Amino acid sequence: MTKENINSECTLNQAMEMGLTEEEFELICQKIGKIPNLTEAGICSAMFSEHCSYKSSKKWLKTLPTSGDHVIQGPGENAGIIDIGDDQAIVFKIESHNHPSFIDPYQGAATGVGGILRDVFTMGARPIALMNVLRFGEIGNPLTNHLLSGVVKGIGGYGNCIGIPTIGGETNFNQSYNSNILVNAMAIGLVNKNKIFYSAASGIGNPVIYVGAKTGRDGIHGATMASAEFSDDTESQKPTVQVGDPFTGKLLLEACLELMKTDLILSIQDMGAAGLTSSSVEMASKGNVGIEIDLDEIPLREKNMSSYEIMLSESQERMLMILKKGAEDDAKKIFKKWDLDFAVIGKIINEKKIILKKENKTVCNLPLDFLVNDSPELSREYVIKTSSKILDNKNIIRKESINSIIYKIIENENFASKKWIYEQYDSSVMGDTISIGNKSDASIVKIHNSEKGEFKGKAVAISTDCNSKYILNDPIEGGKITVAEAARNLIVSGAKPLAVTNNLNFGNPEKKEVMGQIVGSIKGIKEACEELHTPVVSGNVSLYNETNGKSILPTPVIGMVGVIDDIEKIIFMNAKNNETLFIVGQDENKFDGFLQSSLYQEIFCDDFLGQVPPINLKKEKYLHDFIMKLNDNKIINSAHDISDGGLLPCMIEMLLLNKLGININLPPRIKTPNKENLLFLHGWLFGEDQSRIIISTNKPDKLMEFSKSENIKIYCIGKTNNTGVVEIPKYDSICINKCLDLYNNTIPNLFS
């Protein structure tokens, strides 16, 4: 396939090896009026792949809300952009690098970080933070250890070297990811509103410029590989994994931002998935123009590369840009100063085609509309399934002491601190990180308010979330909860949620149930985003996350961004001594709790199938508004979302740092121990009922006044003390020091 022969027609078998279906190959032949050559077929296969075309999902993605008061740029560009005032904007996006990270964990993760950073700075933004969402297989599987070690080193290896802080995210484990891990990377950047750059090409005759690193044979057909199921054979796919160089990435970042200070650039695009193919096709298509490229001008790292290889290579640290006529020399000086390749490789043409030349011969001539606007959009059959298993709490609770249960929850790999992982990343570089890890529910970085670096007290908060158990059991309700919890994490950190980026990770969409998970979760995400006023401005879809027909848990990740207009309003998670704890969103009459689909059920029943805790989105939004009012009136000292594990584990997280204790004020209904009340107690302590937040305050009377005036339910849990013991009167007591040891040391003990 690499031998150059432009007269060689692509066979159906070759096309199918590239990832095209028989129907797609026939459509290509029909549309272009001939049988394509290998290069043309390769370009079509890349642009028709799930990774580039979203052919299985775009019908449903179009239903998501994408506009709002703060939205400058929604989906369709390299990243989304929101207005944060002061003539500034936040640029952000999350994207997957799942398949590459399983094949080669270090390079797969590293290039995932590099790619998402380029998506951000190609818009003109200086990256200020990185996040990641990771999913690995079961603990004890040697492959899990290998993959986690490689991925973590890859994330740190790129992010640390390029000098962008990695400030948070989440890591979870489940056997469904044994042979198909998830590595989702998110980047956030800051840009002045008058310095935003877009990708649409313009100006007939304007030069097409290639900058960055040289092109090699790494990553060829990576987009197609990322759109297919795995088999047992992964070694053979290593050539499809890109190789990253963070030092070159840093040079490219600085060179691009320097050139962006001039008025020489008309448009710019990262060479990401499908490399030069997708960047050139998409730039021209967006600008309603054509593009002609001379492949002999491409800077190559290897000899005798064919047109096919050049166009499908996914070598890293490369950009494509359109300059004003006559700007070439000035731009070249900047890139040569940063020791990067700079080449004029083509021009913008009037005819809406991509034309490629090599050795003075035309090796590709394809219509752009066909590749982009007319690419396949599938309407796959689907069925949205909810769990048929309906459990009563009495079928879930275990006859163990409360302290035995809480210790097992805290040392569970999906609850315990991931400090051992995130401490391998540089979170403090640039000096603007305010909160990571267990300090607050969201990660927070300062925003400098001018090019001079002035700081006026503003910060950006970022949260990532996904509860795959909920999605599996009820895709629609699970989609709602995922968005709501991401927003709740921002609210309890003192931020106003503004917008969403998503990364939809699923199995094979050709299966009705999997497609139902996709459709259902998008429906739930849509409803929640509309109600919470958090439009979707960017994202990514990663399908065919299966190996030998076994799918991952459905994992539609939500990344949400909010703004804190005054860092004095930041709320941290850790309570202090002699503060009163309240549940906001629940009163004493709610004493049972929803244990189905919970972490409690997963740990003690080896099963999480069941109903999903229902969520009332209007109640959720009202809760958010109430918390913001409390914060504005300086009533909240600390706050934490009640989510995985329920009330007791989340409350203990608030007590750990300062090794505090508390004498819990139980609801009247369950103060007296008996068989029935023990059932209620487990539900109350460990149920994952939605729309609840724990806060601490030194102004309990003021809080109660506010709750009455706003007609919102609250419940007083008790007052913190310095005993280091959580007392559950007449039932049990819990040692905070033991909790702290389990919380901090479980993950290091498992992987060190």
Side-chain angles (χ1 to χ4, degrees):
M1 202 173 284
T2 63
K3 187 178 180 181
E4 194 75 19
N5 185 354
I6 63 169
N7 297 315
S8 178
E9 296 179 340
C10 180
T11 67
L12 175 60
N13 284 340
Q14 288 174 321
M16 294 179 73
E17 286 177 7
M18 297 176 189
L20 290 165
T21 65
E22 184 174 352
E23 292 78 12
E24 288 170 342
F25 185 68
E26 289 175 358
L27 179 65
I28 294 166
C29 297
Q30 178 188 335
K31 287 287 186 179
I32 67 175
K34 66 171 188 173
I35 298 173
N37 61 33
L38 291 176
T39 301
E40 292 169 330
I43 289 171
C44 290
S45 72
M47 296 307 299
F48 286 10
S49 69
E50 290 283 358
H51 197 81
C52 292
S53 74
Y54 299 117
K55 57 188 175 185
S56 294
S57 57
K58 60 185 174 183
K59 171 183 176 179
W60 299 101
L61 295 174
K62 292 174 184 177
T63 66
L64 292 170
T66 58
S67 60
D69 293 342
H70 295 273
V71 177
I72 296 175
Q73 176 64 53
E77 269 291 346
N78 289 285
I81 309 177
I82 55 172
D83 190 338
I84 59 168
D86 300 315
D87 293 319
Q88 290 183 302
I90 290 292
V91 181
F92 66 106
K93 186 183 181 183
I94 191 169
E95 194 161 70
S96 63
H97 233 221
N98 302 334
H99 284 44
S101 298
F102 183 75
I103 297 167
D104 187 335
Y106 184 94
Q107 289 295 349
T111 52
V113 173
I116 199 65
L117 285 171
R118 290 194 300 278
D119 281 339
V120 165
F121 74 73
T122 193
M123 305 292 294
R126 177 170 289 280
I128 58 174
L130 288 161
M131 303 273 284
N132 54 74
V133 176
L134 311 176
R135 295 290 187 271
F136 296 101
E138 60 191 333
I139 299 295
N141 184 341
L143 183 59
T144 298
N145 290 37
H146 164 71
L147 293 169
L148 183 141
S149 174
V151 166
V152 171
K153 287 178 180 176
I155 292 170
Y158 204 103
N160 296 356
C161 288
I162 202 170
I164 310 297
T166 301
I167 62 171
E170 56 177 34
T171 304
N172 278 280
F173 303 87
N174 183 275
Q175 65 177 0
S176 77
Y177 306 105
N178 276 351
S179 302
N180 218 122
I181 63 173
L182 302 183
V183 177
N184 294 179
M186 181 176 175
I188 304 93
L190 182 66
V191 66
N192 289 334
K193 284 167 59 178
N194 64 349
K195 280 292 184 180
I196 296 172
F197 288 82
Y198 298 96
S199 59
S202 62
I204 307 304
N206 281 334
V208 178
I209 310 297
Y210 171 118
V211 299
K214 288 180 169 61
T215 294
R217 289 189 170 95
D218 52 316
I220 292 175
H221 255 305
T224 305
M225 177 272 293
S227 307
E229 290 185 32
F230 276 150
S231 65
D232 289 326
D233 181 21
T234 59
E235 279 300 312
S236 65
Q237 299 187 66
K238 280 196 173 182
T240 63
V241 178
Q242 310 92 327
V243 178
D245 179 356
F247 299 103
T248 301
K250 174 65 173 175
L251 298 177
L252 184 61
L253 163 66
E254 297 300 340
C256 286
L257 292 180
E258 182 176 337
L259 183 61
M260 287 168 171
K261 292 179 180 179
T262 71
D263 64 348
L264 305 180
I265 300 179
L266 295 174
S267 55
I268 182 168
Q269 172 86 21
D270 163 44
M271 291 193 214
L276 187 55
T277 287
S278 62
S279 56
S280 57
V281 167
E282 290 173 4
M283 289 183 81
S285 177
K286 288 175 185 177
N288 205 31
V289 295
I291 190 167
E292 182 178 298
I293 295 174
D294 185 350
L295 297 181
D296 293 325
E297 300 299 323
I298 305 291
L300 300 180
R301 194 172 66 236
E302 302 177 47
K303 294 180 179 179
N304 301 318
M305 289 185 67
S306 67
S307 305
Y308 176 96
E309 292 172 322
I310 294 170
M311 291 303 296
L312 276 298
S313 167
E314 293 185 10
S315 294
Q316 296 293 284
E317 291 80 43
R318 304 179 300 159
M319 306 285 276
L320 197 66
M321 59 179 69
I322 312 300
L323 297 182
K324 294 180 178 178
K325 290 179 184 176
E328 297 94 324
D329 289 343
D330 288 339
K332 185 176 182 178
K333 288 177 184 176
I334 293 174
F335 283 89
K336 289 300 179 184
K337 182 184 79 172
W338 291 99
D339 198 26
L340 294 166
D341 279 290
F342 178 100
V344 181
I345 65 169
K347 62 184 179 182
I348 299 302
I349 59 177
N350 191 45
E351 194 176 11
K352 292 172 63 178
K353 289 184 172 185
I354 177 170
I355 298 174
L356 306 178
K357 295 189 175 181
K358 196 169 191 288
E359 299 175 357
N360 295 318
K361 298 177 182 177
T362 298
V363 294
C364 170
N365 189 329
L366 291 172
L368 287 171
D369 281 344
F370 169 62
L371 292 173
V372 181
N373 301 325
D374 300 331
S375 63
E377 178 177 322
L378 304 179
S379 185
R380 295 195 184 277
E381 294 183 24
Y382 68 91
V383 54
I384 301 176
K385 282 195 171 184
T386 59
S387 176
S388 59
K389 196 171 183 178
I390 303 175
L391 299 171
D392 192 275
N393 279 4
K394 65 183 179 184
N395 301 124
I396 300 173
I397 69 164
R398 289 299 177 260
K399 296 178 181 179
E400 291 188 45
S401 63
I402 298 296
N403 63 8
S404 172
I405 289 170
I406 192 63
Y407 297 147
K408 288 178 181 178
I409 289 176
I410 288 175
E411 70 176 345
N412 180 267
E413 63 271 16
N414 289 326
F415 188 89
S417 171
K418 307 305 186 297
K419 185 177 180 181
W420 177 82
I421 294 173
Y422 65 71
E423 282 190 339
Q424 296 184 52
Y425 311 139
D426 190 339
S427 61
S428 60
V429 64
M430 299 177 73
D432 292 325
T433 304
I434 296 175
S435 180
I436 64 166
N438 63 350
K439 284 188 176 181
S440 59
D441 282 27
S443 301
I444 305 170
V445 290
K446 294 178 184 175
I447 295 173
H448 294 278
N449 296 73
S450 75
E451 292 184 1
K452 297 179 180 179
E454 297 173 359
F455 177 63
K456 299 180 180 178
K458 190 180 285 187
V460 61
I462 312 103
S463 169
T464 57
D465 196 81
C466 181
N467 191 317
S468 296
K469 297 177 295 188
Y470 293 171
I471 303 292
L472 181 69
N473 286 333
D474 189 332
I476 296 176
E477 206 71 8
K480 295 178 193 176
I481 292 172
T482 297
V483 174
E485 187 174 342
R488 219 179 298 143
N489 289 334
L490 295 178
I491 289 290
V492 300
S493 303
K496 179 182 179 181
L498 294 181
V500 160
T501 183
N502 58 38
N503 205 142
L504 309 181
N505 306 275
F506 293 91
N508 185 345
E510 298 164 38
K511 298 177 180 177
K512 291 181 183 180
E513 288 187 15
V514 173
M515 195 64 212
Q517 293 168 350
I518 298 168
V519 174
S521 63
I522 291 175
K523 286 177 177 287
I525 291 168
K526 172 183 183 291
E527 190 174 338
C529 286
E530 288 174 341
E531 188 65 42
L532 302 179
H533 308 305
T534 52
V536 179
V537 298
S538 62
N540 174 243
V541 177
S542 174
L543 305 182
Y544 294 96
N545 289 290
E546 296 195 2
T547 298
N548 296 326
K550 185 175 175 61
S551 176
I552 63 165
L553 285 175
T555 313
V557 171
I558 294 293
M560 191 174 291
V561 172
V563 169
I564 302 168
D565 58 17
D566 182 354
I567 61 170
E568 295 299 318
K569 292 182 179 180
I570 292 174
I571 307 171
F572 294 104
M573 182 194 304
N574 302 301
K576 295 178 181 173
N577 189 30
N578 206 34
E579 294 178 343
T580 306
L581 297 187
F582 284 86
I583 305 172
V584 181
Q586 178 179 315
D587 64 13
E588 66 181 26
N589 295 316
K590 178 66 176 172
F591 51 79
D592 45 2
F594 206 97
L595 284 175
Q596 293 184 77
S597 305
S598 68
L599 184 60
Y600 181 108
Q601 182 189 345
E602 182 180 3
I603 293 172
F604 297 102
C605 302
D606 293 323
D607 171 28
F608 50 74
L609 297 178
Q611 304 301 292
V612 170
I615 185 167
N616 182 321
L617 291 171
K618 292 189 182 301
K619 177 184 175 182
E620 182 76 33
K621 182 64 168 66
Y622 196 71
L623 174 69
H624 296 183
D625 294 343
F626 181 70
I627 293 294
M628 285 192 289
K629 287 178 184 177
L630 293 182
N631 194 25
D632 288 341
N633 286 274
K634 300 180 179 180
I635 294 173
I636 299 177
N637 293 356
S638 66
H640 189 24
D641 164 41
I642 300 176
S643 54
D644 291 354
L647 169 63
L648 183 59
C650 294
M651 182 181 67
I652 286 175
E653 283 187 297
M654 298 179 70
L655 304 176
L656 287 179
L657 182 66
N658 294 316
K659 300 180 181 180
L660 301 176
I662 192 170
N663 193 322
I664 293 179
N665 174 38
L666 294 174
R669 176 65 176 82
I670 54 179
K671 282 186 176 181
T672 304
N674 59 49
K675 187 175 180 179
E676 185 182 30
N677 287 348
L678 188 63
L679 178 70
F680 288 134
L681 178 67
H682 281 237
W684 190 75
L685 292 175
F686 304 110
E688 296 182 7
D689 304 68
Q690 295 297 300
S691 307
R692 298 181 301 157
I693 291 167
I694 309 173
I695 71 165
S696 74
T697 182
N698 287 327
K699 302 175 181 176
D701 293 339
K702 196 74 174 173
L703 172 62
M704 287 187 280
E705 286 179 22
F706 263 82
S707 70
K708 288 179 182 177
S709 65
E710 297 291 333
N711 194 30
I712 197 162
K713 297 175 180 179
I714 62 172
Y715 179 75
C716 180
I717 305 172
K719 185 174 283 189
T720 60
N721 56 53
N722 59 11
T723 63
V725 177
V726 176
E727 293 284 355
I728 307 171
K730 300 182 181 180
Y731 287 97
D732 219 334
S733 61
I734 299 158
C735 176
I736 287 295
N737 275 333
K738 183 171 181 178
C739 291
L740 187 62
D741 178 63
L742 294 171
Y743 188 73
N744 286 335
N745 294 320
T746 292
I747 297 297
N749 289 342
L750 288 169
F751 293 102
S752 297

